[in-house]
Amino acid sequence: VFGYTVDYEGDRWFTLILKDTRTGGSQQVKYVGPGLAFAADNKSVFYLKLQAGTGRAYRLMKHIIATDPKTDKTVFEEKDSRFELSLRTSKSGRTLLLTSSQTDTSEVYFVDASKPDAKWTSIKPRSSGVLYDADEVGGQFFINTSLNAPDRRIVTAPLAQPSNWTEVVPTQRGAWIQGFEVVGGVIA
């Protein structure tokens, strides 16, 4: 099975399409956000539900392939209307990442992709004025953050202690760190 989201109207209201490559059959879930992530169990897929009237991605939903989408479970709901969710799979594929963010504040939650029923855990609790985004490679988090770094810095953290940050690229005044990639143990 492979999945994708498509916006037929250009209005940010997407349809999730799950296609079975063996049978040619497909399944649709309407009114979702653009992100999706498959769990390692080959039957669970997570997606974002949009809020009626606003189009804000506010609920993380879990769908079991080949079941009625009406039975999908809410895994997480962002109650603060200033925040919107985004979802992706880490670079290693080992971890699923859910980010709740607004203009100057964010929080990232994660779950082991092989344990789709586990509780999603915050990497570092939300703190007003602190932005961060994360990826997981080789069993550790790589995090781009504004914490104590107005131009950003990159830190790492072990999966078992995600709030225990170790700086690997310090902030440099006037040098904005927009993003990063980790390839072969090298940060680019």
Side-chain angles (χ1 to χ4, degrees), residues 4-188:
Y4 60 98
T5 56
V6 62
D7 177 357
Y8 292 109
E9 305 293 329
D11 58 3
R12 292 188 53 216
W13 291 84
F14 292 79
T15 298
L16 168 62
I17 299 174
L18 300 170
K19 189 144 183 91
D20 188 323
T21 57
R22 293 167 294 165
T23 67
S26 66
Q27 187 174 28
Q28 295 187 3
V29 182
K30 294 185 175 191
Y31 312 118
V32 305
L36 71 133
F38 283 95
D41 67 359
N42 294 319
K43 65 178 183 177
S44 302
V45 61
F46 293 90
Y47 66 92
L48 301 172
K49 190 73 174 166
L50 300 180
Q51 186 174 35
T54 68
R56 176 178 76 98
Y58 78 116
R59 277 191 187 147
L60 175 65
M61 306 296 292
K62 179 183 172 190
H63 175 74
I64 303 299
I65 294 170
T67 65
D68 186 339
K70 292 177 184 169
T71 65
D72 292 355
K73 304 277 190 261
T74 299
V75 175
F76 178 87
E77 182 172 343
E78 178 53 72
K79 306 263 189 213
D80 188 330
S81 64
R82 299 172 301 161
F83 287 79
E84 185 162 6
L85 301 176
S86 60
L87 174 67
R88 66 189 187 90
T89 304
S90 69
K91 188 166 191 167
S92 75
R94 177 180 174 177
T95 306
L96 307 181
L97 300 163
L98 176 70
T99 302
S100 181
S101 62
Q102 53 105 316
T103 306
D104 69 350
T105 305
S106 63
E107 183 173 13
V108 180
Y109 300 86
F110 71 97
V111 72
D112 185 321
S114 69
K115 299 176 182 173
D117 294 325
K119 185 176 189 278
W120 289 65
T121 303
S122 174
I123 290 177
K124 192 169 210 62
R126 188 176 299 177
S127 179
S128 183
V130 175
L131 287 165
Y132 73 95
D133 58 292
D135 203 350
E136 177 271 321
V137 179
Q140 73 176 340
F141 289 113
F142 289 82
I143 302 161
N144 181 355
T145 182
S146 68
L147 180 64
N148 301 321
D151 289 333
R152 302 286 192 116
R153 65 189 176 122
I154 299 174
V155 299
T156 60
L159 289 177
Q161 296 176 308
S163 63
N164 185 14
W165 292 5
T166 301
E167 186 172 79
V168 292
V169 178
T171 190
Q172 298 173 36
R173 185 169 291 290
W176 173 262
I177 300 174
Q178 176 65 37
F180 67 91
E181 288 290 331
V182 179
V183 180
V186 176
I187 300 173

